[in-house]
Amino acid sequence: QVQLVESGGGLVQSGGSLRLSCAASVTSVRINAMGWYRQAPGKEREVVATIISGGSTNYADSVKGRFTISRGNTNNTVSLQMNTLKPEDTAVYYCNADTWSARFWGQGTQVTVSS
């Protein structure tokens, strides 16, 4: 029903920027919300930022003021602009999409911030 493909991860120095993108292939369902989560080694997956169809956004306290989530015109793409990156932002970042009945995940993209 929904397939998500992420791109844009990589290695960056502390203070640098990266932009993650996620494209959804959708059949027969409507996406209500999309978001980005991350999982660092030895830690649980945590929410980074979410955006609903109406455009409202939410951010984890740790990224407020540094990260910006946005959706494309078709509402089937979502991006995460990450500025002023810190070593503690190092993690695998996952795109997600919510329909009325299910949650879907991308395969993840590695973000590594060196100090």
Side-chain angles (χ1 to χ4, degrees):
Q1 293 180 330
V2 179
Q3 291 186 323
L4 303 172
V5 178
E6 301 121 334
S7 61
L11 173 65
V12 65
Q13 289 188 334
S14 181
S17 298
L18 281 175
R19 184 176 180 87
L20 305 181
S21 296
C22 175
S25 296
V26 183
T27 54
S28 303
V29 295
R30 180 176 180 270
I31 293 176
N32 295 321
M34 298 188 77
W36 290 94
Y37 289 66
R38 66 186 181 187
Q39 188 167 17
K43 295 187 177 181
E44 294 186 353
R45 189 173 298 189
E46 62 177 3
V47 61
V48 176
T50 60
I51 184 168
I52 64 174
S53 296
S56 296
T57 59
N58 279 291
Y59 295 92
D61 288 343
S62 59
V63 307
K64 283 181 180 177
R66 300 188 297 121
F67 291 10
T68 302
I69 189 171
S70 60
R71 288 183 73 169
N73 291 334
T74 64
N75 276 338
N76 287 344
T77 60
V78 65
S79 297
L80 185 69
Q81 178 65 42
M82 304 185 294
N83 298 327
T84 319
L85 282 160
K86 305 175 181 180
E88 51 263 45
D89 294 318
T90 295
V92 177
Y93 283 70
Y94 296 90
C95 173
N96 104 289
D98 290 338
T99 66
W100 286 115
S101 60
R103 167 163 287 185
F104 299 89
W105 296 96
Q107 80 283 359
T109 185
Q110 177 70 45
V111 172
T112 302
V113 185
S114 63
S115 57

